[in-house]
Amino acid sequence: MCENDKQRDFEEWLSARPKIIQQLGNRLPPWNRYRMKETGQHCSMYSYSEDGTVTVTVDGHDSEPLDTINKMCPVNVFGVHPDDLEILA
């Protein structure tokens, strides 16, 4: 499946969701990798919540030793505020 198909499918899925989920999905699309600003953890989107937060899968880190550990033992973290995330370059 090409990137355009994935994006189209996601937009179609998103259009049937509540407004807050649409806003989160448009702001934080699932194909990006993100960095938690305060901790340096790297993550990907897992889910969007109607309380305006997201759940992410943490599976990397700015620090090389912590990156190795995070890759070995990825964890899901819920209740993450969108302002706490930035797109990884």
Side-chain angles (χ1 to χ4, degrees):
M1 181 179 281
C2 74
E3 292 302 315
N4 288 338
D5 291 340
K6 288 179 186 179
Q7 186 168 352
R8 185 190 69 242
D9 290 348
F10 178 67
E11 289 171 0
E12 183 178 316
W13 175 85
L14 204 56
S15 70
R17 300 298 174 262
K19 190 73 166 173
I20 186 65
I21 303 298
Q22 291 176 19
Q23 291 169 341
L24 288 169
N26 287 321
R27 182 174 176 188
L28 302 167
W31 46 80
N32 290 336
R33 295 275 298 150
Y34 297 94
R35 178 181 179 277
M36 296 176 113
K37 295 176 186 176
E38 190 172 321
T39 64
Q41 294 168 298
H42 301 180
C43 55
S44 54
M45 204 53 52
Y46 183 81
S47 67
Y48 306 101
S49 300
E50 290 188 50
D51 67 358
T53 65
V54 296
T55 299
V56 295
T57 301
V58 176
D59 57 4
H61 199 280
D62 290 346
S63 159
E64 190 174 330
L66 292 176
D67 186 57
T68 301
I69 292 168
N70 278 290
K71 286 181 178 172
M72 289 175 16
C73 301
V75 295
N76 289 339
V77 178
F78 65 91
V80 177
H81 193 279
D83 289 342
D84 295 338
L85 299 173
E86 60 189 2
I87 294 175
L88 276 171

